[in-house]
Amino acid sequence: MTSTDTLLDFPFSPRGDQLPPEIEALRAEPVKRVRTIAGDPAWLVSSYALCKQVLEDPRFSLKDTSAPGVPRQYALTIPPEVVNNMGNITGAGLRKAVLKAINPKTDGLTDWMRAHAATLVDEIVDYGPPVDLRSRFTNPYAEHLHCRILGIPQADAPRLAASLDIAFMNSACPITGARLNWDRDIAYMVDRLDDPATTGLMAELAALRGNPDYDHLTDEMLATVGVTMFGAGVISTMGFLTMAIFSLIQHPDVWEQLRKAPEKIPAAVDELLRVNLSIADGLPRLALEDVRLGDVEVKKGELVLVLVEAANTDPAVFADPHTVDVDRPNAGTHLSFGGGAHYCPATALGKKHAEIAIEVLLDRMPGLQLAVPVDQLVWRSRFMKRIPERLPVAW
């Protein structure tokens, strides 16, 4: 086996404004041995066909990436049993309640998103340029959406959001603060189960405690649904929306095209998902048995990382892949939501969240542009998301 001293280090560049140069070199070697942040060897998969194969093949497991003694992508910052969160929710009989809560057609959620996005943008316009679009728009828009879905006070969003930098940190070693954050947020969600003012999903979960069919569920298990939904949901929707807006600012011709033809916004969201570079890491899977992957024999117990950004720019699938084309006929086949059994269940919500935000920004801030040169942006290199620390804009 190749020594870990000679392996290619992964992940690559933290910048979300350009495709890492290593990716083009990987076109000739779509299954490449790399070294993770934790110092362990892994197979990095980069072609669209092989990435899709890994995501859809049950012999590659997400749940088992948290097992003791297996190669690590990075140290766990959440309890091991939470890694397969949607699988746990399904196994506990909670999938229907969760899917209903994140359906944008449920309980006027789409209308709420449109009204709230407009309120946030109106506040920005009243404040005047320049503003940090992350702190004034993409962060609160994502945080408040998940507060509404969970049925918890919007005013509590900052205390929950404060945990996310550690909860989604890439580190070679365990982080003491991660456990402290987790325990504090679980305690908060348990309190919400007992709070008569709680509505939304947390109220639905609280009501199950009186149902004998759900006697196997503890308050901590129910609270875990709330904590993980807020964390993963906010990071994902905020990260993509931030980078979608950034991409549009970098492509004023596309911005103008959508301003003149807003009916193209839904298709544009899929194309923006395809070119999105905010996923700084590969999606991890553990081989449960020996599997042939292209020209490589992946052995049982080896770690495999699916490089979504490489798959989404594979010229064998996407013609002229580095061009943002809102009329691209197969843009919706991107792998930004994963695939197979772990295809993101919040796909429709994430897309609608971005569609509405872009629609409102095009209407109220048609001249949106960066207020600083791109090279002055500071990217969040320590975390799983390539997102600028601040996104100063003017209009």
Side-chain angles (χ1 to χ4, degrees):
M1 182 179 292
T2 304
S3 167
T4 55
D5 291 336
T6 63
L7 297 181
L8 182 67
D9 287 331
F10 181 79
F12 304 135
S13 167
R15 292 186 60 155
D17 61 330
Q18 52 192 243
L19 203 66
E22 294 91 341
I23 287 178
E24 290 309 315
L26 291 173
R27 300 295 181 202
E29 195 174 359
V31 185
K32 174 78 171 178
R33 205 70 164 149
V34 297
R35 177 176 50 214
T36 70
I37 290 171
D40 290 334
W43 292 108
L44 185 65
V45 183
S46 55
S47 75
Y48 182 92
L50 294 180
C51 286
K52 195 168 188 293
Q53 177 185 335
V54 172
L55 293 173
E56 294 179 352
D57 190 331
R59 294 175 295 176
F60 293 104
S61 167
L62 171 61
K63 175 176 70 70
D64 291 280
T65 60
S66 63
V70 304
R72 292 276 186 232
Q73 185 177 20
Y74 36 75
L76 291 176
T77 53
I78 57 176
E81 63 273 14
V82 180
V83 168
N84 184 33
N85 187 49
M86 202 61 202
N88 296 334
I89 287 172
T90 299
L94 302 175
R95 183 179 180 87
K96 183 177 180 180
V98 170
L99 291 181
K100 177 185 175 184
I102 60 178
N103 185 335
K105 297 180 181 179
T106 296
D107 193 27
L109 191 55
T110 295
D111 290 340
W112 180 92
M113 284 191 282
R114 182 168 286 105
H116 195 60
T119 296
L120 290 172
V121 170
D122 285 346
E123 290 173 355
I124 290 173
V125 172
D126 289 343
Y127 179 85
V131 298
D132 174 16
L133 203 65
R134 270 201 60 191
S135 63
R136 298 296 297 261
F137 184 65
T138 62
N139 280 9
Y141 184 40
E143 292 165 8
H144 298 164
L145 168 64
H146 287 82
C147 285
R148 187 184 189 279
I149 289 171
L150 292 169
I152 61 178
Q154 185 173 296
D156 290 348
R159 64 175 292 179
L160 293 169
S163 299
L164 300 186
D165 279 351
I166 291 181
F168 289 87
M169 180 180 287
N170 292 355
S171 172
C173 304
I175 304 165
T176 302
R179 185 76 229 189
L180 298 174
N181 271 351
W182 180 263
D183 290 344
R184 182 189 65 225
D185 292 346
I186 288 291
Y188 168 85
M189 288 296 178
V190 169
D191 287 344
R192 300 289 71 73
L193 292 171
D194 293 323
D195 187 343
T198 299
T199 59
L201 177 60
M202 294 308 294
E204 290 195 31
L205 297 181
L208 296 178
R209 295 184 296 180
N211 187 328
D213 292 339
Y214 293 93
D215 283 346
H216 59 291
L217 297 179
T218 65
D219 281 1
E220 183 171 346
M221 292 169 68
L222 296 173
T224 296
V225 176
V227 173
T228 54
M229 176 170 288
F230 184 89
V234 167
I235 285 290
S236 298
T237 53
M238 179 275 293
F240 167 58
L241 180 57
T242 299
M243 294 310 297
I245 295 170
F246 176 82
S247 294
L248 288 173
I249 291 174
Q250 295 301 103
H251 296 87
D253 54 327
V254 179
W255 178 270
E256 186 62 16
Q257 184 181 4
L258 296 180
R259 193 182 69 80
K260 293 179 177 178
E263 68 277 6
K264 291 188 175 185
I265 292 175
V269 166
D270 264 320
E271 177 69 346
L272 292 168
L273 280 161
R274 185 189 69 81
V275 301
N276 174 34
L277 299 181
S278 73
I279 305 175
D281 280 344
L283 303 180
R285 299 291 187 268
L286 195 78
L288 300 182
E289 57 184 82
D290 294 355
V291 183
R292 191 75 181 174
L293 199 57
D295 296 330
V296 170
E297 184 80 14
V298 177
K299 299 296 184 181
K300 178 181 178 180
E302 291 185 328
L303 180 63
V304 176
L305 302 175
V306 173
L307 190 56
V308 170
E309 61 193 3
N312 285 348
T313 53
D314 188 339
V317 178
F318 302 103
D320 196 9
H322 306 301
T323 297
V324 180
D325 179 5
V326 300
D327 296 314
R328 185 180 298 276
N330 65 338
T333 62
H334 62 77
L335 299 181
S336 296
F337 287 112
H342 297 287
Y343 184 76
C344 178
T347 297
L349 178 65
K351 287 184 178 181
K352 184 57 69 174
H353 178 265
E355 287 174 22
I356 290 171
I358 292 169
E359 175 188 319
V360 172
L361 288 170
L362 284 168
D363 178 55
R364 298 285 282 117
M365 304 170 72
L368 194 66
Q369 58 185 302
L370 280 180
V372 300
V374 174
D375 287 344
Q376 290 185 18
L377 294 178
V378 177
W379 298 89
R380 302 185 64 175
S381 58
R382 294 174 298 156
F383 309 108
M384 287 192 291
K385 295 289 183 182
R386 292 191 186 100
I387 310 169
E389 291 279 9
R390 299 179 67 252
L391 189 62
V393 295
W395 55 94

